[in-house]
Amino acid sequence: MWIIYVAENIKMPGEKCKALPLGMTAPWTNPAPLADVPDGEVNLLHRSAWSDVNNPLRVEFKPWYDIPPPVPGSERVDVFLDDERNVIETKTWALPMSDSDYFIEVSANKLPEGEHKLGFIMTNFNDVPDVSDLYTITIDKTAPLLATDSTLIFPPEVSPPQTITAAYLADPANNNEVLATVPDYSEKKVGDVITWYWETSPGGQQVAGTKTLELADLGVPVQVAFSGDLIRRGNGEFYASYRVRDRAGNGDDVLSTPQPMKVYIRPPTPRKYPSVKGVSNNNGSGEMNALLGRDGLTVVVEASEIDPLEEVVVDFVGAEGVGSATGVKPIIAGGLEFAIPASVVAANIPVSGKGTPISVYYWAGYDTVHSAVFALTVNALSPDALGRVNCLQAQTGSPVTLSKNDVPLTGANLVIAKWPYQAAGQLMQVWADVAGVETFFVDGVPNDTDGTFNSLLPKDYVDALPINSRISLRASVSFDEGRSYIPFEGLPLKIIA
């Protein structure tokens, strides 16, 4: 059985045809086109389908006979692009044809770039032509053209100075990655694949990631991400580069200009402890005279312990409440000296001996562990460090005397000159001691005076004392809201008539 073709003039799109199509199936290619992607080229051929001169593109056909005709003769196929007159390849077969004969090889130079309609005209042994259905193919021979300056553009926080730090990666705003912008390039299309590299020498071998462009990527700058996990693998100099390969496979041979980048990732060990100005450092600990902090203390962090752009705060953790200060910012923005108020120091002064060590440390950048701790111990004040209690009506001598007749009706005036660490709100105690019996005249009354402290020794108390009795006038102040009191030097008196 064989097919007879009837010739008749018909009109094809844009051209005249001399044969009536009798259901001739469209050709196809081997290799087959790439799978279509949304908004991409239709039936795009990968460059490997046509670029190999030793393996030209095969255009294949469905056999047009169920049973080959049992007659001698030949048949011809003319493969055309877009227009029947644009024949790009011809092949003639002697009958009978085998199933393996139904193809033609087309070289790359006969396949121009762009979207085309591929078809063929089969002229049978009776010299009757028939035109196949058309098959759309797209050929892309143009590689993406990188920008003249093709180096990746890194954020200004890291470039310059072309340095990536742990602080940058740890910032939640940066999502544990460094984004870089690909300079815009020509012929940006859906399906382009951008591959970027992070390596110790430029070459485009160590892949850091890939991205396939979609329609939404065409109108905006394309960014690529270098993950924090990748960057943290080592310190030193690295090179960042990329390639752009279109969906057809063009462009793999062009590497962007490598961008040198330095990585400075501190190992996860505690940073060195800070120091305190004026305090000797004995391998992370020190003792200080209590009067050293009368104007406050200055904590110092070594610059070598801090990475560029890292923010630093200090914790000074001592006595509960007023004896601690946390989150202390630098005296000068961006500096590494931190002021601890005198009131905080005072709250850590012990009544006697040595105080409990204060923990002084700092937090840098986004560290989840603070630095090593500097243990600061404050020693007690000397007995005369705060000054002494004085009585304006007392007479100097040996011993100092207080005459009952000199005590005003309002009471004798007790005064204490301004002392180190004096501040408003400090609690005071004032009392008299007679042979171990204590009588308090002031207890828990805040001292709101920034200067001389004044109190009264009641006249009726003095009048009740025997002549020639000995008393001691005493006072103390609390720097820690009443938890402890530090004494002033007392005033021994002899009561006379």
Side-chain angles (χ1 to χ4, degrees):
M1 176 180 182
W2 46 284
I3 301 174
I4 296 177
Y5 299 89
V6 179
E8 182 179 326
N9 288 337
I10 69 163
K11 178 92 170 186
M12 290 294 290
E15 290 299 325
K16 282 190 176 180
C17 237
K18 295 182 178 180
L20 177 65
L22 298 178
M24 190 71 68
T25 303
W28 64 92
T29 63
N30 186 0
L34 300 170
D36 287 347
V37 297
D39 305 301
E41 298 106 325
V42 176
N43 284 350
L44 177 66
L45 291 174
H46 192 274
R47 63 175 288 108
S48 61
W50 48 261
S51 61
D52 186 349
V53 294
N54 297 316
N55 292 288
L57 179 68
R58 283 171 61 105
V59 178
E60 300 186 348
F61 322 104
K62 182 178 179 181
W64 41 81
Y65 294 116
D66 290 332
I67 300 174
V71 296
S74 64
E75 293 186 330
R76 187 180 79 246
V77 166
D78 298 302
V79 174
F80 64 86
L81 279 184
D82 303 318
D83 187 320
E84 293 173 33
R85 294 172 299 180
N86 183 27
V87 175
I88 59 173
E89 196 61 79
T90 297
K91 186 174 180 179
T92 301
W93 293 268
L95 295 176
M97 294 173 62
S98 69
D99 288 349
S100 61
D101 287 335
Y102 288 85
F103 74 90
I104 288 180
E105 292 183 334
V106 180
S107 59
N109 63 325
K110 296 180 179 180
L111 297 168
E113 190 170 52
E115 182 180 303
H116 302 285
K117 302 296 184 181
L118 180 68
F120 68 94
I121 304 169
M122 191 280 290
T123 303
N124 73 1
F125 61 92
N126 282 327
D127 202 30
V128 177
D130 191 11
V131 181
S132 73
D133 292 334
L134 301 180
Y135 184 61
T136 300
I137 61 170
T138 304
I139 298 169
D140 182 0
K141 296 184 176 182
T142 303
L145 181 62
L146 302 188
T148 303
D149 182 2
S150 62
T151 52
L152 286 168
I153 303 167
F154 282 84
E157 294 84 356
V158 301
S159 180
Q162 284 82 39
T163 300
I164 300 172
T165 65
Y168 185 88
L169 294 176
D171 186 343
N174 297 324
N175 198 31
N176 189 36
E177 63 185 9
V178 180
L179 295 178
T181 301
V182 176
D184 211 9
Y185 61 92
S186 64
E187 295 298 318
K188 186 188 292 184
K189 292 180 291 188
V190 170
D192 287 355
V193 177
I194 299 176
T195 304
W196 57 100
Y197 308 90
W198 184 257
E199 46 202 347
T200 54
S201 59
Q205 300 297 320
Q206 302 298 318
V207 176
T210 62
K211 177 181 178 67
T212 301
L213 299 192
E214 299 178 356
L215 184 62
D217 298 312
L218 302 189
V220 296
V222 176
Q223 289 190 314
V224 298
F226 294 88
S227 72
D229 293 342
L230 171 66
I231 295 170
R232 287 189 180 92
R233 291 178 185 174
N235 287 323
E237 188 166 70
F238 291 81
Y239 296 88
S241 57
Y242 63 95
R243 286 189 175 92
V244 180
R245 182 185 74 247
D246 64 23
R247 199 160 65 95
N250 303 302
D252 253 355
D253 55 341
V254 179
L255 182 68
S256 72
T257 303
Q259 171 66 67
M261 296 295 295
K262 292 181 180 177
V263 176
Y264 184 62
I265 303 296
R266 185 179 296 278
T269 55
R271 305 184 196 225
K272 185 180 178 182
Y273 44 75
S275 60
V276 178
K277 276 189 178 181
V279 178
S280 297
N281 190 332
N282 182 20
N283 195 27
S285 63
E287 294 183 12
M288 61 170 274
N289 183 300
L291 291 179
L292 178 65
R294 63 194 304 171
D295 296 318
L297 293 175
T298 301
V299 175
V300 180
V301 174
E302 289 187 19
S304 60
E305 295 297 309
I306 305 304
D307 296 338
L309 305 177
E310 285 187 315
E311 294 184 2
V312 182
V313 295
V314 161
D315 286 353
F316 188 93
V317 182
E320 183 181 355
V322 291
S324 296
T326 58
V328 180
K329 295 184 177 181
I331 298 170
I332 299 173
L336 295 175
E337 293 192 352
F338 305 80
I340 306 302
S343 59
V344 175
V345 180
N348 291 282
I349 299 174
V351 175
S352 61
K354 296 179 180 180
T356 301
I358 302 162
S359 296
V360 186
Y361 51 84
Y362 58 91
W363 302 85
Y366 295 92
D367 286 358
T368 56
V369 177
H370 60 66
S371 71
V373 174
F374 181 77
L376 175 65
T377 301
V378 181
N379 294 328
L381 291 162
S382 62
D384 59 352
L386 296 183
R388 68 180 300 166
V389 181
N390 288 294
C391 179
L392 297 184
Q393 286 76 24
Q395 301 296 317
T396 14
S398 185
V400 176
T401 59
L402 175 62
S403 171
K404 292 184 178 185
N405 292 329
D406 291 338
V407 176
L409 292 176
T410 53
N413 298 102
L414 305 182
V415 295
I416 305 172
K418 184 176 180 179
W419 57 87
Y421 295 107
Q422 186 184 51
Q426 291 174 348
L427 301 179
M428 300 290 296
Q429 290 180 331
V430 179
W431 71 98
D433 184 338
V434 179
V437 177
E438 297 177 337
T439 303
F440 285 82
F441 309 112
V442 175
D443 186 1
V445 177
N447 165 32
D448 294 323
T449 305
D450 186 17
T452 301
F453 174 79
N454 295 278
S455 185
L456 292 171
L457 178 63
K459 180 174 178 59
D460 57 357
Y461 175 80
V462 176
D463 287 345
L465 296 171
I467 300 299
N468 296 325
S469 60
R470 302 290 182 114
I471 71 171
S472 181
L473 298 178
R474 301 187 181 280
S476 63
V477 62
S478 176
F479 296 139
D480 57 7
E481 299 180 324
R483 294 182 182 85
S484 63
Y485 283 83
I486 299 175
F488 296 88
E489 190 176 5
L491 175 64
L493 288 175
K494 180 181 179 181
I495 304 299
I496 60 176

